[in-house]
Amino acid sequence: MADSRRGRWIAALLVLLGIVVALELFAGVLGVLVDIVDANYLRAVLRLTVPIAFAALGGIFAEKSGVINIGLEGLLIISAFTSIAVAGLLGGGDATQAELWIGFGSAVLASVLFALLFAVVCIEFKADQIIAGLAVWLIALGLAPFASKVIWGQVNSPPIATLNNWTLRIPTTDVVLFDASPPVFMMLISVPVAWYALNRTAFGRWIEASGENPKALDTVGVDVRKVRYTGVLLSGFFSGLGGAGLALGRVGQFIGGGTTMVNGRGWIGITAYLFGNYNPLGAFGASFLFASLDALQIRLQQLGYNVPSELIGIIPYVTVVVVLAFVGRTRLPSAAGDHYESGEE
């Protein structure tokens, strides 16, 4: 196990090194990294990490419990739309912070309800989890733009305010240690909390047993169905934080054209937790890597480097292929995707 993890991080470092070399070749300037990597760039990367990392955390809880939820992209779309719709209907373009937080909470609730529907279909009615997850994504992909047309007459909402930043200062001084949007703080807190819950609590052991050996969990008197429901609902909760964080923490608008403003971040979240081998810390590291590559194309354009945005845009996906080639397959939970009835032999 230790060798596998070491190989995974070595592969990641090799990929990063290759990207750095490629950037220097394209830019032709040895100081390009100094220009790119500054405080503003790192803040942008953290903001872009939010939806990916939260989707990854949600996917970890669902899949480790035995339910494969590939509908994370759909949950991000629903929560992003709901946050803007509720906040916009309450306060319009000048929504107050309280109205924005109501929109934020409504978005999380909407995502959890969609996850509950998915859980009922998969656990109670034993539907194919992959097909059900795709259905969640496709429903959200069609429903959110349709609802946007009903509310605003177009697939894109009018811009609204975003959540005010939270600032962390040294007590009794004006020295700022950290300044970021609330979803960034939530993400940085959620990652270690999720790791602790999965690795240091009885609930974490139940989640793992539900995905590895549900019969053993059932034998000791723990309801496998309840554990799986909880895992899926947590995937909805975290995805709701990610979608609302994207909409109200950074964009301030719902964009419903094409693949919507979510633009594949839920799928990248799945890749992130597979890359991190179901470890919240590893999933966050992978999410940060993918977000940094996303922010790179924006930063290069701002600095005037003539690097095609399409080329930079495909780097995250090339990274996935390269990492999988170096590291190999991630081991899925043994019972992931399998249905279980209490008392089964």
Side-chain angles (χ1 to χ4, degrees):
M1 182 65 72
D3 290 341
S4 175
R5 291 178 180 173
R6 190 177 300 112
R8 191 178 301 278
W9 289 112
I10 290 174
L13 290 174
L14 289 173
V15 171
L16 282 174
L17 180 60
I19 292 169
V20 170
V21 172
L23 284 174
E24 291 186 350
L25 292 174
F26 284 127
V29 180
L30 292 177
V32 64
L33 291 180
V34 176
D35 292 337
I36 293 174
V37 182
D38 58 11
N40 290 329
Y41 174 74
L42 293 176
R43 279 193 288 267
V45 171
L46 284 173
R47 289 194 298 270
L48 290 168
T49 303
V50 165
I52 302 173
F54 274 127
L57 290 179
I60 289 173
F61 278 95
E63 197 157 322
K64 281 182 75 71
S65 74
V67 181
I68 301 173
N69 185 1
I70 67 168
L72 301 174
E73 177 87 357
L75 297 179
L76 290 178
I77 293 172
I78 285 297
S79 54
F81 165 76
T82 303
S83 66
I84 296 295
V86 172
L89 291 174
L90 288 175
D94 298 322
T96 65
Q97 290 297 300
E99 291 165 339
L100 293 176
W101 279 111
I102 293 173
F104 194 99
S106 300
V108 175
L109 178 60
S111 180
V112 170
L113 290 177
F114 260 76
L116 176 60
L117 176 62
F118 169 77
V120 169
V121 169
C122 292
I123 298 173
E124 300 297 335
F125 297 99
K126 299 181 176 60
D128 184 282
Q129 295 171 8
I130 302 299
I131 294 176
L134 287 173
V136 170
W137 168 53
L138 291 172
I139 290 171
L141 191 60
L143 180 60
F146 172 76
S148 296
K149 287 186 177 180
V150 172
I151 297 172
W152 300 296
Q154 56 184 5
V155 295
N156 298 339
S157 75
I160 67 171
T162 56
L163 295 169
N164 291 337
N165 279 11
W166 288 349
T167 302
L168 185 62
R169 290 186 172 89
I170 296 178
T172 71
T173 73
D174 292 329
V175 178
V176 175
L177 295 177
F178 191 61
D179 180 82
S181 66
V184 171
F185 279 91
M186 294 177 185
M187 174 184 67
L188 295 177
I189 293 171
S190 296
V191 170
V193 169
W195 179 89
Y196 182 85
L198 287 170
N199 293 278
R200 295 291 186 270
T201 67
F203 172 69
R205 291 190 288 274
W206 294 347
I207 286 283
E208 183 170 4
S210 178
E212 294 288 352
N213 192 344
K215 181 171 177 54
L217 185 63
D218 191 21
T219 301
V220 298
V222 178
D223 192 326
V224 174
R225 290 171 62 258
K226 288 183 179 179
V227 173
R228 290 189 170 183
Y229 266 109
T230 303
V232 175
L233 291 178
L234 282 172
S235 74
F237 173 75
F238 283 118
S239 296
L241 293 177
L246 172 65
L248 294 179
R250 187 170 72 90
V251 180
Q253 182 183 21
F254 177 74
I255 301 171
T259 56
T260 76
M261 62 193 293
V262 175
N263 196 27
R265 289 178 173 87
W267 302 111
I268 297 177
I270 294 174
T271 302
Y273 75 71
L274 291 174
F275 179 30
N277 201 23
Y278 300 95
N279 184 321
L281 300 179
F284 171 74
S287 301
F288 187 88
L289 170 62
F290 297 143
S292 68
L293 297 172
D294 191 13
L296 181 62
Q297 59 179 314
I298 301 172
R299 184 63 170 161
L300 287 174
Q301 297 301 322
Q302 291 174 342
L303 294 174
Y305 290 108
N306 189 25
V307 179
S309 60
E310 294 80 7
L311 179 62
I312 300 298
I314 67 171
I315 289 179
Y317 305 100
V318 173
T319 302
V320 172
V321 174
V322 172
V323 168
L324 291 177
F326 272 103
V327 177
R329 295 179 178 178
T330 299
R331 193 188 72 82
L332 301 178
S334 301
D338 295 339
H339 302 294
Y340 180 79
E341 280 291 344
S342 180
E344 282 185 352
E345 294 297 334

